Amino acid sequence: VTPKAGGWSRACFVGLGIGIKKPFTEVIKANIGDAHAMGQRPITFLRQVVALCTYPNLLDSPSFPEDAKKRARRILQGCGGNSLGSYTASQGINCIREDVASYIERRDGGVPADPDNIYLTTGASDGISAILKILISGDGKSRTGVMIPIPQYPLYSAAISELDAIQVNYYLDEENCWALNVNELRRALNEAKAYCNPKVLCIINPGNPTGQVQSRKCIEDVIHFAWEEKLFLLADEVYQDNVYSEGCQFHSFKKILYEMGPEYYNNVELASFHSTSKGYMGECGYRGGYMEVINLHPEIKGQLVKLLSVRLCPPVSGQAAMDIVVNPPVPGEESYAQFIKEKESVLNNLAKKAKLTEDMFNKIPGVHCNPLQGAMYAFPRIFIPSKAIEEAKAHKMAPDMFYCMKLLEETGICVVPGSGFGQREGTYHFRMTILPPVEKLKILLEKVKDFHIKFLEKYA
C-alpha cells in the first residue's frame, strides 16, 4: 500500500471497525500532503483566473481585476474555440509553455529556457512516469536500472515496478540531515552493474519524505557524477518554494548544470519537474504540472511527444492553474499586494509549523527528528522496543506499521510508516505532514507524545 492519493488512509479505516466506539472524536489524516483538505485557503488570484477561463462570461464582471482578465484572455486565445473544454496540443498550450520558459529564466538568473523543451503534464507524476517509460529497455543484466533515494516517494518504486525496471537504492545520510553523499551513489551504482544497466538517477529536492534541501556543492557533485557515468538525471523539484531553514536555499539542477560550463550543460541529459500541488498553491486537484527536458536526442524527443499524445493532453484547467504559478501578479499590477500577502502568509505559516514540529518531536523520549529544511513533512526516527517488534511479527506486520496502526486506533492520527518509503535495516520512522492548522498541529503533536510514552511503557 502506498501513501499516494489516500491509499494508506483507506487501509487505516479497515482496522478501525464500523460502529465501534473509539477514544477520539475525529480521524486526523496527517498521512498525505493535501493542503486544501487540511484547511489551507486557495490563492485568490489563481482561482480568479481559472474561474474566468472556465466561465468566460465573467470577463464582463467588475468583480474581477483586470490583470486576472488579461491572463484569462491570453489562455483562452490559446485554446481551440476559445474554450477550456477543447483538446490542446499534447505538449500543452503554447503560450503557457512560453510562460513556463520565462519563469525558469527568471528563477535561474537568466539561464536560457526553450518552450519547445517544456511539456505540460498531469501533475509532476505524469511527467516522471512518461520519462521513465522512454528510458527503460533491455533484458536480464542489460535491463535499465533506476537509482532512487531511500527514503523515497513511492511513486518511483511503483513506476519502476510497473515498467519492470530494476530499482537501485542509494541511502540518504540520516546522521547528516539526510544529505546525499556521492560515495554512496558510487557504491550503489557499482553494485548494481552486476545485475542491471543503471542509466537513470532520481533526485528529490527538497526531499520527500525527508525534507532536506540539497546544497549547491552537493548538486555540483551529483551532476559531475552523472556526467562521469553518463546517467540521465531526473530532478523532482516540486517543493522548490518550500524552503524554511536559515542558510538553506533552493538551487535548481538546471541552473547549476549551466553554471558548470558547456562540457556539462551540453551533454548531461536532465528532466526537471514542477507542479501546482505543492509550494504555496497546494492545488492538488487541478493536476497541473510541467517538465523541462534538455539534451534529449531529437529522435528520442520525437518518441516522447508520440508517447504523450496517447493521453491526448493534460487537463486544460490544470494547465491554466500552472500558468498562474509561473506567471503571477508582478509589482505595479492591481492584484500584486493581495497575492504576495497570501503567498507569504502560507510559506511563513509552514516555516513556523516546520520548526514547531521539529522541536516538539525532539522533546519526546525515543524520538529524533532532523531539521525540516523544506517540503511539508516530518520523518522522525522512532525507537520501537523489542517486545513490540515481536508482537508486530506475530501479527505479520512491519514494526513501524504496527506502531502506526496503534497510533491510529488509540488517537485517531493517521500517519504513514517509514517502511512505505524505505529505510535502513533496523531503523523505524513515520511520515507526517505539517499541513494541519497550527492549533490542531499542536494538539496532534501532544497526542503523539502521550501515545509514544505509553507505548514505550507498555512494551519496555
Side-chain angles (χ1 to χ4, degrees):
V1 177
T2 68
K4 176 69 177 174
W8 162 238
S9 62
R10 285 194 293 274
C12 289
F13 298 129
V14 172
L16 287 175
I18 298 173
I20 300 171
K21 188 169 177 61
K22 291 291 178 180
F24 49 84
T25 56
E26 67 169 329
V27 173
I28 301 175
K29 292 185 278 186
N31 59 308
I32 190 167
D34 191 352
H36 292 186
M38 290 284 102
Q40 181 178 309
R41 304 299 302 163
I43 298 296
T44 302
F45 188 77
L46 186 150
R47 288 296 183 91
Q48 286 174 329
V49 176
V50 175
L52 289 163
C53 289
T54 305
Y55 189 58
N57 287 0
L58 294 173
L59 288 164
D60 297 324
S61 169
S63 300
F64 289 79
E66 282 304 316
D67 47 0
K69 292 178 179 179
K70 178 182 175 184
R71 284 164 175 78
R73 289 189 185 101
R74 183 167 179 266
I75 292 167
L76 289 171
Q77 285 167 6
C79 297
N82 292 315
S83 172
L84 223 58
S86 60
Y87 287 128
T88 71
S90 298
Q91 239 176 297
I93 297 171
N94 189 58
C95 68
I96 298 178
R97 290 191 291 116
E98 289 172 355
D99 287 345
V100 171
S102 297
Y103 162 79
I104 292 169
E105 289 183 357
R106 292 194 309 273
R107 182 197 67 189
D108 292 345
V111 176
D114 183 352
D116 197 44
N117 291 334
I118 307 296
Y119 304 79
L120 301 182
T121 57
T122 308
S125 305
D126 172 51
I128 293 165
S129 297
I131 287 292
L132 287 175
K133 279 181 184 176
I134 65 163
L135 294 178
I136 291 169
S137 63
D139 294 300
K141 288 187 178 181
S142 68
R143 190 64 176 165
T144 300
V146 182
M147 301 179 68
I148 64 172
I150 299 295
Q152 53 107 15
Y153 177 50
L155 161 72
Y156 291 94
S157 54
I160 290 166
S161 176
E162 181 187 5
L163 297 169
D164 200 26
I166 307 299
Q167 179 174 318
V168 178
N169 296 340
Y170 66 88
Y171 288 88
L172 301 175
D173 184 0
E174 184 171 10
E175 306 307 316
N176 191 22
C177 205
W178 298 111
L180 195 167
N181 188 304
V182 170
N183 290 331
E184 169 62 11
L185 289 179
R186 190 161 279 112
R187 176 207 64 78
L189 181 84
N190 290 337
E191 289 182 8
K193 284 179 178 177
Y195 55 85
C196 70
N197 178 21
K199 290 197 297 190
V200 186
L201 173 57
C202 303
I203 311 288
I204 308 173
N205 180 47
N208 175 11
T210 45
Q212 85 285 2
V213 178
Q214 303 293 356
S215 68
R216 182 188 179 95
K217 174 68 165 61
C218 173
I219 294 172
E220 288 174 347
D221 290 345
V222 170
I223 290 171
H224 178 75
F225 176 77
W227 171 79
E228 203 172 46
E229 299 291 345
K230 295 181 171 55
L231 298 173
F232 195 112
L233 268 176
L234 267 58
D236 183 339
E237 298 175 336
V238 301
Y239 296 99
Q240 59 190 257
D241 289 304
N242 301 105
V243 177
Y244 315 124
S245 293
E246 283 187 29
C248 288
Q249 181 183 350
F250 171 75
H251 302 281
S252 78
F253 268 75
K254 164 87 176 293
K255 181 176 190 286
I256 304 303
L257 178 62
Y258 184 83
E259 292 174 350
M260 288 176 71
E263 190 171 9
Y264 293 93
Y265 184 68
N266 293 328
N267 291 291
V268 174
E269 295 164 304
L270 170 68
S272 307
F273 306 91
H274 197 15
S275 166
T276 62
S277 302
K278 309 303 176 185
Y280 58 90
M281 308 78 66
E283 295 281 8
C284 305
Y286 276 121
R287 309 308 301 134
Y290 75 76
M291 61 179 173
E292 181 186 26
V293 189
I294 61 172
N295 292 327
L296 199 60
H297 188 281
E299 287 184 19
I300 305 299
K301 190 172 182 177
Q303 294 302 314
L304 175 60
V305 173
K306 279 186 185 178
L307 177 65
L308 293 174
S309 70
V310 171
R311 52 92 159 118
L312 299 179
C313 69
V316 187
S317 56
Q319 295 186 49
M322 192 73 244
D323 188 67
I324 306 313
V325 175
V326 298
N327 184 25
V330 296
E333 290 188 306
E334 62 180 299
S335 298
Y336 177 76
Q338 182 182 8
F339 167 78
I340 207 70
K341 180 182 177 183
E342 292 176 352
K343 175 182 176 179
E344 289 179 353
S345 173
V346 170
L347 294 176
N348 290 340
N349 203 27
L350 283 168
K352 179 181 176 182
K353 291 189 285 189
K355 185 63 177 159
L356 169 71
T357 303
E358 176 197 339
D359 290 346
M360 289 191 71
F361 271 142
N362 285 328
K363 289 175 183 175
I364 304 174
V367 176
H368 174 72
C369 185
N370 273 322
L372 279 63
Q373 296 176 337
M376 49 184 63
Y377 313 98
F379 196 67
R381 183 170 175 172
I382 51 175
F383 170 70
I384 298 181
S386 56
K387 190 177 173 185
I389 293 172
E390 290 304 313
E391 188 168 330
K393 285 179 181 175
H395 286 87
K396 295 182 169 55
M397 296 170 76
D400 50 6
M401 176 69 163
F402 175 76
Y403 179 96
C404 291
M405 287 300 293
K406 288 288 185 185
L407 176 66
L408 175 68
E409 289 167 359
E410 295 180 24
T411 68
I413 296 168
C414 182
V415 296
V416 189
S419 49
F421 302 90
Q423 55 199 347
R424 283 198 180 274
E425 188 73 26
T427 68
Y428 306 107
H429 304 78
F430 64 79
R431 189 191 79 165
M432 184 196 88
T433 181
I434 61 170
L435 289 171
V438 172
E439 291 310 311
K440 181 172 274 193
L441 183 62
K442 285 179 181 176
I443 294 168
L444 184 157
L445 292 167
E446 284 292 342
K447 284 186 175 184
V448 172
K449 176 185 174 182
D450 294 342
F451 166 82
H452 188 78
I453 291 169
K454 289 176 185 174
F455 186 88
L456 293 183
E457 289 172 352
K458 180 177 179 180
Y459 292 102

